[in-house]
Amino acid sequence: MISKKTAFFFLLPALVLIFIFLIFPAFWTLYYSLTDYSLLGASTEFIGVQNFINLFTSARFWNATILSFEFVFFSAIIGQAGVGLLLAMLFHRKSGWLKKLVRNLAVASWLIPAVVVAYAWAAFLDKEYGLLNQIIGIFGFTGIDWLNEVPMGSIIIFNIWRGAAFSMLLFTSALKTIPPSHFETADVVGASLWDKIKDIVLPQLKTFIGSDLALITLWTFNLFTPFLLTGGGPGRQTEILPIYTYFKAFKYMEFGLGAAISAVILFINLTLALVYLNYLKAE
Amino acid sequence: METSVKFEDLTKEFEDVVAVDHLNLKIEKGEFFALLGPSGCGKTTTLRLIAGLEQPTEGKIFLNNEDVSSYPPKERDVAMVFQDYALYPHMTISENIGYPLKVRGVAKEDRQERIKEAAENLQIGELLDRRPSQLSGGQQQRVSVARALVHEPSVFLFDEPLSNLDARLRIEARTFLRHLQKELGITTIYVTHDQSEALALADRIAIMEAGQARQVDAAQKVYHEPADTFVANFVGSPPMNLLQCRVNMEGETPILETENNTISFTNLENRLQRLKERDELILGIRPEDMDLTLNVDQDEQLTGLVGEIYAVETLGAQVLFSVKIGNSMIRVREMSSEKVSQLAVGDDVSVEINEDRVLYYDAEDKALIN
C-alpha cells in the first residue's frame, strides 16, 4: 500500500505542469479580463467589469456567440456524433474491406494536422480550381463559391468531416458492450436500422453518448481552425467566439477585452461541462 | 404429417471452416426437435440459418414448404430465444414482451391484450411492470419465451435457453417448456450440448458433428441404438462403454477377444451371420447393462471380463464403478444395494454383460451393425 504522502509525491510533477500551463493562465486571463491591458496603450489599469459591459452591449459579440452555438450544435452534436453513430451502426457486426477502408479514412482525417486539413478543404472548395466544383461540372452544373456563398455550411461540413472519426471510434467500442443477441432479437422480429438505434442503441449507450457529446462540444467550442478556411468572413458570417477573440486580442491588440471574451468562453464551457457531468452522474 | 422445416444440402462455410456440411433434414409440424452436439459441431449455425441471421453458402431452407433461403429474418415467421435471454434492460417486462408487436405496428390496445395473454401463459403476469434486472434468471427466461410466443410464430428457435440457469431451475424450466410446447403445438427447434436436456425434451434428436447429422431419430432410439460410436459416446451419462475386440472361431463357437480377456456370448451364433465377415468389432455396452461380481477365489480360472475397481462414485440411487481392464476403463452403473456397497477400490471383479443389450459396431466405419 502506498501512503497518501507518497501518492501525492508521484502526482506532483503532473500537478505542477497542470498548474503552470492550465490553471495559472486561466486565472491570469480572468485577471486581465478586468483590466484594459493593451499592447497599444501605455499603462494597464484595473477597470472592473467594464470589458464585460462593453461585450454584452456589443452586437458583434452576440453575433459571435450565436454563431458559436450554431456551429457546435450542427457540426458537433448533430454532425460528428450523428454521423459517427450512423457509421458505427452501419459497420457494427460486419467485416470486410469496405469497413476497413471507411474506418481508416475516418481515422486518417482525424490524425492529419488540422492546418493541413484546413488547406486541403480550402483547395477542395475553391471556386475556380476546387475538386468539388470540378465534380459538379462533370454533371453539367455550375459550381458556386462555397466559402463565400455558404460559409457557415462549409465550416460545419469541414468540422464534421474532421471530427466524425472520434465519435465513430468511441461508438464502435461502445456498441460492443451491447450483447449481439439484442440486435439479433430485433433482426428476427424485423426491426429497421432506425428502430435499432432508437430502441436499443440510444437507451443503452446513454452514458457513452453523454461523454462523447461533452468532449466534442468543448473541443468544437474552442476550435479556431475554421479561421483558416474563411477568416471569420465573409463579413462576420463565420466569426465564432475563438475567432472573435483572436481579432480582439491579436489584431487590435486589446488583450483585456480578448481576455474577457476568453473568460466568457470559459464560463460557457464550464456550464456545459457541469450539465453533462450531472447528466452522467444521474445515469 | 405436414413438414414444417426442411433443409436440402444446407451448407454454411465461414472463411476456412465448414460449419454446416450438406445437411438434409425434415422437421414435422408441431414437433419438438433437438439439435444436439459438442461445441463447434454446427448446431447453432444451423439454427441461425433457419432464423435468417446467417445466409447459407449452398443449399435451401424450406419453411412450410416455401423456399425461404433468401428471405430476411422478419419474413420467415420464426421467433428465437437466446441463451442470454436478450431482454432490453431499459424496457419493462411488458415492453419487452410487446416489442415484436410494436415493431410490426400492432395497435396499442391489441398489443396490451396479447402481452397479457402471453404473460399468463408463462405465469409471469404479475411481473409486467418490473424491469429485467429485478427478475431472477428463471423469470427472465420465461419473459424471453413470452416475447417469442407473443407474435405466434410458426417455428420456435431455442439456442441453449436453459444453460444460464442453475441445476434445479433448469429441470423445472425443462418440464415447463416441454409442457408448454405440447400445449401450443408450435414446431420447436432446440439447440443444446446437454444430452440429458435433449433426451428429456425432444421428440426427435439430430446428433451433429462437424456440420453433419450423425443420427436423426426419436430420443429413445438415439439412446438405445446409437447409429455409430460417436453418438454412442456422446449420448448417455456416463456414455456407453466401447470395447475393441477381435472375433475368433473356436470350432463352431465364436469367441470375442478383447485386449486381454475373452468373452463368449451364448447367442452370438445367431448374430454371427452378420458378424462373420468382420474380424474386428467394437462392442457398445451401456453402464447399466453390466453387473459386477467380487472375485473371492484368486486362483480360480475366470472367463469373461476381469478387472480391478479404480473408482467408486455414488449417484444417489445408483453407484458408478470404474473398472480397469488392461489398459481400458469400463464404467458400470449398479443400483445401490448391500451387495454393491461391499465393493471397494482395488477389488478384483468380473464384469457380467447383459448380452441382449450389447450393440456391435464396425471397427472400420464405426457404424452400428444391424
Side-chain angles (χ1 to χ4, degrees):
Chain A
M1 221 10 227
I2 296 173
S3 73
K4 273 192 177 160
K5 222 179 191 175
T6 323
F8 178 76
F9 191 72
F10 279 118
L11 281 175
L12 201 60
L15 288 176
V16 168
L17 289 176
I18 287 173
F19 185 80
I20 295 176
F21 292 106
L22 292 172
I23 297 175
F24 176 70
F27 280 99
W28 199 238
T29 304
L30 284 179
Y31 165 71
Y32 270 141
S33 72
L34 303 175
T35 69
D36 65 354
Y37 183 36
S38 161
L39 288 189
L40 305 175
S43 66
T44 300
E45 303 269 338
F46 186 83
I47 53 167
V49 293
Q50 190 54 49
N51 279 329
F52 293 95
I53 293 169
N54 293 347
L55 268 188
F56 296 146
T57 53
S58 142
R60 189 170 170 185
F61 166 78
W62 289 112
N63 172 62
T65 308
I66 289 164
L67 286 179
S68 266
F69 276 103
E70 266 178 34
F71 183 61
V72 166
F73 183 76
F74 288 107
S75 79
I77 295 175
I78 300 286
Q80 291 183 2
V83 172
L85 182 63
L86 200 66
L87 283 176
M89 273 301 284
L90 286 175
F91 292 115
H92 180 51
R93 297 190 296 150
K94 297 210 173 56
S95 56
W97 62 270
L98 188 65
K99 176 179 183 169
K100 279 183 197 145
L101 183 75
V102 172
R103 199 186 150 99
N104 288 340
L105 284 179
V107 173
S109 71
W110 189 50
L111 292 180
I112 299 169
V115 176
V116 178
V117 172
Y119 280 107
W121 269 84
F124 177 69
L125 296 174
D126 188 81
K127 190 187 176 191
E128 302 292 328
Y129 308 104
L131 182 62
L132 183 59
N133 282 350
Q134 305 260 357
I135 294 170
I136 288 171
I138 293 172
F139 294 101
F141 298 100
T142 331
I144 61 167
D145 190 353
W146 298 99
L147 291 174
N148 274 314
E149 286 173 50
V150 274
M152 196 60 183
S154 295
I155 65 167
I156 285 171
I157 298 288
F158 155 78
N159 192 39
I160 294 173
W161 184 89
R162 167 100 182 122
F166 174 79
S167 298
M168 183 188 85
L169 290 179
L170 193 144
F171 291 139
T172 300
S173 310
L175 282 173
K176 289 184 185 147
T177 65
I178 301 178
S181 62
H182 286 202
F183 292 105
E184 288 170 346
T185 298
D187 283 334
V188 172
V189 302
S192 63
L193 179 66
W194 171 240
D195 284 331
K196 282 184 245 174
I197 291 180
K198 170 170 66 81
D199 297 329
I200 303 172
V201 175
L202 293 182
Q204 291 201 47
L205 295 191
K206 270 185 193 163
T207 52
F208 293 95
I209 293 169
S211 315
D212 181 66
L213 290 183
L215 287 170
I216 61 175
T217 299
L218 299 186
W219 289 340
T220 304
F221 221 101
N222 294 329
L223 197 71
F224 181 69
T225 352
F227 180 80
L228 300 173
L229 279 180
T230 61
R236 284 168 195 158
Q237 288 182 56
T238 56
E239 197 183 77
I240 50 179
L241 282 172
I243 295 178
Y244 178 45
T245 315
Y246 166 81
F247 277 134
K248 283 293 171 201
F250 297 106
K251 209 160 174 202
Y252 309 128
M253 302 300 172
E254 294 178 42
F255 278 15
L257 192 64
I261 306 169
S262 300
V264 172
I265 296 177
L266 184 70
F267 175 76
I268 295 173
N269 278 346
L270 278 177
T271 312
L272 290 175
L274 280 175
V275 169
Y276 283 125
L277 285 177
N278 255 328
Y279 168 77
L280 289 177
K281 230 185 199 168
E283 275 301 314
Chain B
M1 260 279 190
E2 221 176 315
T3 308
S4 175
V5 182
K6 190 172 79 172
F7 307 145
E8 270 180 19
D9 279 326
L10 188 65
T11 302
K12 176 67 185 178
E13 290 172 23
F14 294 105
E15 272 163 42
D16 47 357
V17 200
V18 182
V20 180
D21 192 0
H22 296 91
L23 191 64
N24 287 289
L25 266 182
K26 263 186 193 171
I27 296 160
E28 270 147 25
K29 209 168 210 131
E31 196 173 14
F32 201 129
F33 192 91
L35 294 169
L36 173 66
S39 50
C41 73
K43 56 190 193 298
T44 297
T45 307
T46 307
L47 198 74
R48 295 169 61 85
L49 283 164
I50 305 170
L53 294 171
E54 305 281 355
Q55 293 302 311
T57 317
E58 233 183 277
K60 286 177 178 161
I61 301 169
F62 295 86
L63 290 180
N64 301 317
N65 297 316
E66 193 181 350
D67 182 357
V68 298
S69 315
S70 59
Y71 288 18
K74 64 173 169 180
E75 281 165 38
R76 298 191 181 202
D77 198 20
V78 299
M80 191 153 167
V81 174
F82 292 86
Q83 182 176 352
D84 61 3
Y85 319 132
L87 300 179
Y88 300 130
H90 55 281
M91 294 186 190
T92 63
I93 297 312
S94 169
E95 286 166 339
N96 265 293
I97 297 175
Y99 190 64
L101 301 175
K102 190 182 154 207
V103 167
R104 282 157 197 237
V106 174
K108 199 167 181 187
E109 289 116 57
D110 196 11
R111 219 153 71 199
Q112 291 306 331
E113 205 165 297
R114 285 166 72 178
I115 291 168
K116 246 180 108 184
E117 198 187 336
E120 266 155 32
N121 246 322
L122 273 295
Q123 297 161 21
I124 45 172
E126 72 283 9
L127 304 175
L128 285 178
D129 295 326
R130 303 218 195 144
R131 277 176 206 277
S133 58
Q134 296 167 298
L135 266 54
S136 70
Q139 289 170 329
Q140 289 185 26
Q141 206 259 337
R142 288 187 179 209
V143 174
S144 74
V145 175
R147 180 172 62 186
L149 194 86
V150 77
H151 65 91
E152 292 154 11
S154 65
V155 181
F156 258 151
L157 305 173
F158 285 96
D159 186 12
E160 310 236 6
L162 305 183
S163 39
N164 282 11
L165 299 176
D166 63 50
R168 197 180 59 81
L169 265 177
R170 201 178 309 155
I171 291 176
E172 204 178 290
R174 200 171 77 186
T175 310
F176 185 78
L177 268 186
R178 171 84 188 164
H179 172 81
L180 187 75
Q181 197 272 340
K182 286 298 153 215
E183 194 173 80
L184 299 170
I186 297 175
T187 313
T188 300
I189 304 175
Y190 189 100
V191 161
T192 180
H193 64 266
D194 180 342
Q195 44 94 23
S196 62
E197 212 169 281
L199 290 172
L201 281 167
D203 300 317
R204 283 197 305 151
I205 301 175
I207 289 100
M208 291 187 67
E209 197 227 4
Q212 290 173 325
R214 302 298 286 260
Q215 181 172 11
V216 184
D217 261 318
Q220 282 297 314
K221 195 153 185 214
V222 165
Y223 186 78
H224 291 294
E225 286 176 48
D228 59 23
T229 54
F230 174 81
V231 178
N233 200 26
F234 192 77
V235 175
S237 169
M240 191 179 272
N241 293 296
L242 297 171
L243 274 179
Q244 198 103 26
C245 63
R246 182 178 275 285
V247 184
N248 259 347
M249 294 303 289
E250 209 162 81
E252 283 296 295
T253 324
I255 304 279
L256 299 177
E257 237 171 56
T258 65
E259 202 184 343
N260 45 12
N261 290 277
T262 54
I263 311 166
S264 56
F265 288 156
T266 49
N267 63 356
L268 196 59
E269 277 164 85
N270 304 335
R271 292 180 187 170
L272 199 69
Q273 291 313 347
R274 312 193 306 258
L275 303 178
K276 217 179 218 163
E277 313 84 87
R278 302 169 170 89
D279 42 310
E280 292 264 0
L281 284 177
I282 297 170
L283 300 187
I285 314 152
R286 289 259 172 234
E288 60 266 36
D289 296 331
M290 293 191 284
D291 244 322
L292 297 181
T293 328
L294 192 63
N295 292 333
V296 190
D297 188 351
Q298 295 290 331
D299 301 328
E300 197 187 339
Q301 188 65 25
L302 287 161
T303 56
L305 290 170
V306 186
E308 186 189 308
I309 296 180
Y310 172 80
V312 183
E313 293 161 69
T314 312
L315 313 168
Q318 296 163 331
V319 184
L320 181 68
F321 294 95
S322 301
V323 182
K324 208 164 179 203
I325 301 175
N327 283 327
S328 43
M329 190 75 79
I330 287 219
R331 291 198 172 79
V332 180
R333 191 156 64 182
E334 299 262 24
M335 295 304 291
S336 42
S337 66
E338 211 163 305
K339 184 197 104 186
V340 164
S341 60
Q342 285 166 4
L343 297 170
V345 172
D347 284 351
D348 282 325
V349 286
S350 53
V351 183
E352 278 167 51
I353 299 168
N354 182 350
E355 294 177 25
D356 299 333
R357 307 292 289 269
V358 175
L359 300 168
Y360 302 88
Y361 292 95
D362 191 299
E364 287 282 307
D365 65 8
K366 319 279 188 206
L368 184 67
I369 304 166
N370 286 307

